[in-house]
Amino acid sequence: MSSQAGADPATDIPTVASPAQSVRVGVRFHRGQALEDAETDLVSVEEPLEIRLGYRAGDEPVEQALSVTMRTPGNDFDLALGFLLSEGVIQSGADVIGTETCGPPSPDKGLYNTVKVTLADGVNVDTENLTRYVYTSSSCGVCGKASLDAVHVQIPDGDRDVFRISADNLKALPAALRAKQTEFDRTGGLHASACFDDDGSIHRLREDVGRHNALDKLIGSYLAAREPPLADRGVLLSGRASFELMQKAAMTSTAFVAAIGPPSSLAVELAVAEGITLVGFLKAGTFNVYAGAERIT
């Protein structure tokens, strides 16, 4: 268990000092007509958090892995408790008698990425429904490196060197995407995922209130049509590039992911590990390249 930095006087739930929420990574800035020399840029940290549940089944104490979610470290107890409340596992703070970090720190970054929430005696736990939350767990602690290793095993092999796009065509993508976001025009509240060709044209687009859902819909549309995966096209994200979105894109064997927003640290790590070009902060006149600059002509 990690040391605690204090307690919230309103709840007596211990709090933990917040780790760094951004890190510097290597980047090459595109300004004007060329890529400038390599520099560094701040990206938001993304790491997995495992939520574990402690409770009593009769006279026996039980500890169960409940869920793993990607998050920016900090306020992890709030995240765990909010998740349990929103999913109906608990009804109020009175159902919780303790919240703590547990397990060893992650071997790659030294972060405590597991939170255990212990429920009060008498709280009814539906063990059958609990299984729907479980995504993955690790006996050696949850860490970004462990997640990358697991993803690397699942991602299919493919030739990711076939796709190239010019800087001018790349910078035209945001306007092309915006022109096709019909539902966004109506609500202003939807994420979009699209695939694009090397001439900068949008081949297909899907929108959804959840950015993960939008990308799933885009990928699924090709599967439903019995069309090949996106190995010969790029993927465009209307928001930020997270680890989970990069993982989904990698499963299609795409060589190129461009995002209107910023990438997370773990997204950059995955792009580098899998040889995927990753562009962030894509605008009409500029963009940042975090991995795979050789595919931009």
Side-chain angles (χ1 to χ4, degrees):
M1 183 187 306
S2 68
S3 60
Q4 306 294 344
D8 183 341
T11 61
D12 291 328
I13 294 176
T15 59
V16 177
S18 294
Q21 296 188 324
S22 62
V23 295
R24 286 198 174 274
V25 299
V27 63
R28 297 178 69 188
F29 297 106
H30 189 281
R31 301 288 184 267
Q33 297 299 315
L35 285 171
E36 298 178 1
D37 292 337
E39 299 184 28
T40 62
D41 189 27
L42 280 172
V43 297
S44 297
V45 172
E46 183 183 35
E47 285 288 319
L49 177 71
E50 180 181 60
I51 301 173
R52 302 188 68 86
L53 201 62
Y55 59 95
R56 298 190 71 84
D59 295 330
E60 296 297 323
V62 176
E63 183 172 325
Q64 181 172 352
L66 189 63
S67 178
V68 173
T69 185
M70 295 293 173
R71 99 294 191 195
T72 296
N75 304 117
D76 292 339
F77 292 171
D78 292 343
L79 174 59
L81 293 173
F83 173 84
L84 294 179
L85 181 67
S86 64
E87 295 291 344
V89 179
I90 62 175
Q91 303 301 314
S92 70
D95 291 340
V96 176
I97 61 173
T99 309
E100 59 186 347
T101 57
C102 59
S106 62
D108 57 341
K109 299 182 180 72
L111 295 173
Y112 286 92
N113 284 340
T114 303
V115 167
K116 176 185 175 183
V117 179
T118 302
L119 302 184
D121 290 344
V123 175
N124 182 42
V125 177
D126 188 340
T127 55
E128 291 186 5
N129 282 338
L130 286 183
T131 59
R132 77 179 189 271
Y133 304 118
V134 178
Y135 170 69
T136 186
S137 63
S138 173
S139 60
C140 62
V142 183
C143 65
K145 184 61 169 64
S147 294
L148 288 173
D149 288 343
V151 170
H152 186 77
V153 173
Q154 299 176 36
I155 292 175
D157 294 330
D159 183 6
R160 291 198 171 94
D161 292 329
V162 297
F163 188 88
R164 297 289 189 277
I165 188 170
S166 71
D168 288 340
N169 285 343
L170 187 60
K171 289 184 285 187
L173 285 172
L177 177 70
R178 186 68 182 82
K180 291 181 176 294
Q181 286 187 264
T182 54
E183 290 301 322
F184 181 87
D185 283 338
R186 296 187 179 99
T187 67
L190 292 183
H191 295 278
S193 289
C195 60
F196 57 91
D197 294 317
D198 57 6
D199 63 358
S201 61
I202 301 294
H203 184 259
R204 187 173 297 178
L205 176 146
R206 292 292 184 270
E207 294 177 286
D208 195 275
V209 69
R211 60 182 184 271
H212 303 92
N213 296 344
L215 185 51
D216 283 339
K217 288 180 178 179
L218 178 66
I219 295 170
S221 70
Y222 285 92
L223 298 177
R226 299 295 192 271
E227 295 182 23
L230 308 179
D232 58 348
R233 293 189 176 94
V235 171
L236 179 62
L237 308 174
S238 65
R240 70 184 185 95
S242 68
F243 170 80
E244 290 162 304
L245 290 178
M246 284 297 298
Q247 175 182 269
K248 290 176 184 294
M251 292 297 290
T252 71
S253 296
T254 186
F256 204 113
V257 176
I260 305 299
S264 70
S265 63
L266 210 55
V268 175
E269 290 182 36
L270 179 57
V272 171
E274 293 297 329
I276 300 172
T277 297
L278 176 57
V279 168
F281 292 108
L282 178 60
K283 299 178 182 178
T286 183
F287 55 83
N288 294 349
V289 184
Y290 295 92
E294 68 277 2
R295 293 193 180 93
I296 302 171
T297 60

